[in-house]
Amino acid sequence: MIRKVLIANRGEIALRIVRACQELGVRAVAVYSDADAQAPHVREADEAVHIGPAPASESYLRGDHLIAVAKQVGADAVHPGYGFLSEREWFARAVRDAGLVWIGPPAEAIAAMGSKTAARTLAISAGTPVVPGTTEPLRDAAEAAATAARFGYPVLLKAAAGGGGKGMRVVREESEIAGALASAQREAKNAFGDDAVYVEKYIEGPRHVEIQVLADAHGNCIALGERECSIQRRHQKMVEEAPSVAVTPELRQRMGDAAVAAAKAAGYVNAGTCEFLLDRHGNFYFLEMNTRIQVEHPVTELVMGIDLVQWQLRIASGERLPFTTSPEPKGWAIECRITSEDPANGFLPSTGRIAHLHLPSGPGVRWDGGIEVGSVVGLSYDPMLAKLIVFAPTREAAIARMERALKELVIDGVETSREFHLRVMADADYRAGRVDIQWLESRLPTLLAQQAPRETRQAAAIAAALLADRDRGSRRTGTPSGGSATVPGHTNGAPAPAGVAGSWAQLARLENLRRG
Ligand code: ADP
């Protein structure tokens, strides 16, 4: 059994892994850059080691150094989280070569799923449906035109080494193909040092539906249902849910079987995710496999009643999976990624110090966060601050619960996506489940038009913070909250000076506005 884990990550996922370790009686060792010295994942871990300056290239991406630190603290395993080094084959191999347990799939499985064309070839060999297209790099524009004609326009040119939507071009007619090929190749070369580009049929208006897979080292591999991740902006997911309104038990079974077949073909062990496009006719196509824990794993945990991160550790320790058939999801879970981005300003990253934080709670609410009051949100890392996740018996109840939880949430100090998420939850299309991967982008103008002006939102957040401070003050002094007002920071329960009660009423009006 693993006894001590080095967590090669930061933020909410590092804290999530710390919690899983502690519940299993495993010691958790955090690492931190200069920017994260005060971070919650550092404080909550059993030990923490400073690894360098803020830029990830000088801290969280220094694989050799991380392995040296793991050895030095006597860790017997490394958990990479997501992002950073989690899908680097060389790092998985180096961890193993250092005599440590890698809490993830074998390096060979990472490599097998590492390039889009390799993953497609593997999926085809496993009988898993892929988007119609090729697996060989295009030689020139003439070959591109001939191939596109074979599959029919529109087509998508894709970089074999691609990621994050880079090196991808939609081509709607033959006259565009030469230019699109040249620019996709150029972008791929710059981003990945590899200009291989291939052709896929462009699927119009599909949903992004992914299947969670869990495989142990004894040959058991099961699918744990789907996650619907169609609410995306620039290929970044913003809202995820489980199950999907578009997936019937019969389709779930077929997609699960297809994902398990692909995972088995790759010799997969541990937690992984097969991403699929699901078209309007119920056809699904394998896109790629993410060989790590996903950001959106909590929605699966809630509807399946399973702790995926704990199972990552247990599988890495050699344990067998307790089931041989896929469980059916129970209830409905939704996750909103709360980011420090300003939707009203082109989703520009917002920086600052968290001055006030009020976290939602109550039935069915889960907060996987990496921030607290005083946290400094900078530009060195991903803008995702936390994930707000809710669980309820039905989708309708889950949406109502998410709205309630978003209204309770107060983050003061940086702009966030909180209010934007409220708009999504209130949207008629979203509520009806009428979404695909293009929906959010096409709906942006409408959603953004409903956004209150920035000044009002800031004032409203401050109002919420002041009201919360007042309530805390009155609790300490025994004055009923909502009764005679006390001045914030002036908590002896003395009656407020004349005029202050009126200000509280004004603040309460602002707070109501904030709550939508
Ligand atoms: P990356 O690894 O660069 O993110 P993916 O292959 O995952 O690339 O594709 C990114 C996104 O582009 C997908 O989530 C989907 O929204 C869209 N996409 C990918 N392939 C197709 C396709 N063949 N047809 C339509 N949309 C696609």
Side-chain angles (χ1 to χ4, degrees):
M1 181 68 194
I2 291 167
R3 289 195 313 274
K4 192 169 184 178
V5 173
L6 182 107
I7 301 164
N9 215 300
R10 65 175 301 281
E12 71 86 19
I13 193 62
L15 185 55
R16 170 73 188 89
I17 299 164
V18 169
R19 288 171 169 154
C21 287
Q22 290 176 342
E23 289 176 20
L24 287 174
V26 173
R27 277 183 81 77
V29 184
V31 294
Y32 62 96
S33 70
D34 288 346
D36 285 335
Q38 310 296 329
H41 79 275
V42 175
R43 203 188 41 250
E44 298 301 328
D46 300 296
E47 292 172 43
V49 182
H50 176 247
I51 49 162
S57 59
E58 296 171 51
S59 50
Y60 299 104
L61 287 172
R62 285 177 63 202
D64 291 347
H65 185 218
L66 288 163
I67 292 170
V69 169
K71 300 289 274 183
Q72 181 195 319
V73 298
D76 40 28
V78 173
H79 196 310
Y82 54 68
F84 294 131
L85 297 171
S86 61
E87 291 185 286
R88 297 274 174 258
E89 175 203 352
W90 65 263
F91 186 56
R93 207 179 286 280
V95 166
R96 189 171 68 189
D97 290 349
L100 299 163
V101 175
W102 169 252
I103 304 177
E108 294 73 15
I110 299 178
M113 292 294 184
S115 93
K116 290 192 192 302
T117 41
R120 277 170 68 79
T121 308
L122 195 83
I124 294 166
S125 76
T128 299
V130 298
V131 184
T134 60
T135 50
E136 294 301 316
L138 293 166
R139 279 186 300 264
D140 52 36
E143 190 188 21
T147 314
R150 187 146 60 88
F151 293 103
Y153 289 93
V155 295
L156 192 59
L157 300 181
K158 269 191 178 183
K166 287 211 177 71
M168 243 166 55
R169 295 286 182 282
V170 184
V171 187
R172 297 207 170 263
E173 52 187 81
E174 189 172 337
S175 64
E176 298 167 356
I177 201 149
L181 177 65
S183 71
Q185 285 175 328
R186 209 177 317 115
E187 195 171 297
K189 181 88 187 162
N190 285 338
F192 316 110
D194 174 1
D195 69 358
V197 167
Y198 70 100
V199 178
E200 271 180 23
K201 174 83 187 146
Y202 182 70
I203 312 287
E204 301 275 6
R207 291 170 181 267
H208 174 120
V209 176
E210 57 188 33
I211 301 283
Q212 176 70 52
V213 171
L214 211 49
D216 66 22
H218 308 281
N220 303 306
C221 180
I222 57 152
L224 287 169
E226 77 281 6
R227 291 185 287 260
E228 160 80 64
C229 309
S230 297
I231 309 291
Q232 301 183 0
R233 184 183 156 268
R234 301 205 175 153
H235 304 309
Q236 299 294 319
K237 300 164 187 165
M238 290 193 73
V239 178
E240 301 100 340
E241 48 187 283
S244 162
V245 291
V247 176
T248 60
E250 184 269 331
L251 180 58
R252 178 172 305 125
Q253 179 74 44
R254 281 196 290 129
M255 293 184 79
D257 290 347
V260 165
K264 283 189 168 166
Y268 207 85
V269 177
N270 217 290
T273 296
C274 289
E275 296 190 334
F276 293 94
L277 293 178
L278 176 64
D279 76 13
R280 292 164 184 166
H281 315 290
N283 303 306
F284 61 89
Y285 308 97
F286 172 88
L287 268 189
E288 63 179 355
M289 183 165 192
N290 292 322
T291 52
R292 53 170 165 80
I293 193 78
Q294 301 266 103
V295 172
E296 58 273 24
H297 75 275
V299 291
T300 299
E301 296 190 317
L302 292 169
V303 297
M304 289 295 175
I306 178 174
D307 189 309
L308 286 168
V309 180
Q310 283 191 18
W311 270 104
Q312 287 196 289
L313 271 85
R314 293 164 76 157
I315 287 170
S317 295
E319 244 185 83
R320 274 175 196 278
L321 286 173
F323 19 54
T324 45
T325 53
S326 297
E328 277 296 301
K330 286 198 185 66
W332 214 280
I334 303 177
E335 171 180 284
C336 288
R337 298 189 185 196
I338 308 295
T339 62
S340 54
E341 291 172 316
D342 185 0
N345 201 358
F347 288 85
L348 214 65
S350 167
T351 59
R353 182 183 290 271
I354 306 292
H356 188 87
L357 185 63
H358 176 78
L359 299 186
S361 53
V365 175
R366 168 170 164 179
W367 174 264
D368 278 22
I371 52 161
E372 58 191 2
V373 171
S375 294
V376 174
V377 179
L379 292 172
S380 298
Y381 310 113
D382 189 273
M384 195 181 77
L385 301 175
K387 300 167 329 201
L388 177 57
I389 311 120
V390 298
F391 179 53
T394 62
R395 183 167 189 268
E396 203 183 0
I399 293 173
R401 184 157 276 173
M402 181 58 88
E403 290 187 303
R404 188 270 291 170
L406 284 166
K407 286 175 183 176
E408 280 183 26
L409 173 64
V410 180
I411 301 178
D412 178 27
V414 289
E415 292 289 330
T416 75
S417 55
R418 185 198 73 98
E419 197 190 337
F420 183 77
H421 278 116
L422 268 175
R423 306 284 164 246
V424 174
M425 292 297 127
D427 187 278
D429 280 351
Y430 175 75
R431 294 176 92 91
R434 276 191 308 263
V435 296
D436 60 35
I437 57 174
Q438 274 112 35
W439 177 80
L440 186 65
E441 302 258 5
S442 63
R443 199 72 168 172
L444 270 183
T446 317
L447 293 167
L448 291 174
Q450 298 163 1
Q451 189 100 355
R454 185 184 186 139
E455 294 70 28
T456 316
R457 277 181 292 124
Q458 274 172 346
I462 292 167
L466 286 171
L467 287 165
D469 271 352
R470 177 197 62 169
D471 290 348
R472 254 199 304 282
S474 53
R475 268 198 300 281
R476 275 200 296 274
T477 56
T479 314
S481 101
S484 69
T486 53
V487 182
H490 173 91
T491 52
N492 61 4
V500 171
S503 314
W504 286 123
Q506 261 177 352
L507 284 178
R509 273 194 294 280
L510 263 177
E511 161 68 349
N512 279 338
L513 191 145
R514 189 193 75 86
R515 293 166 73 94

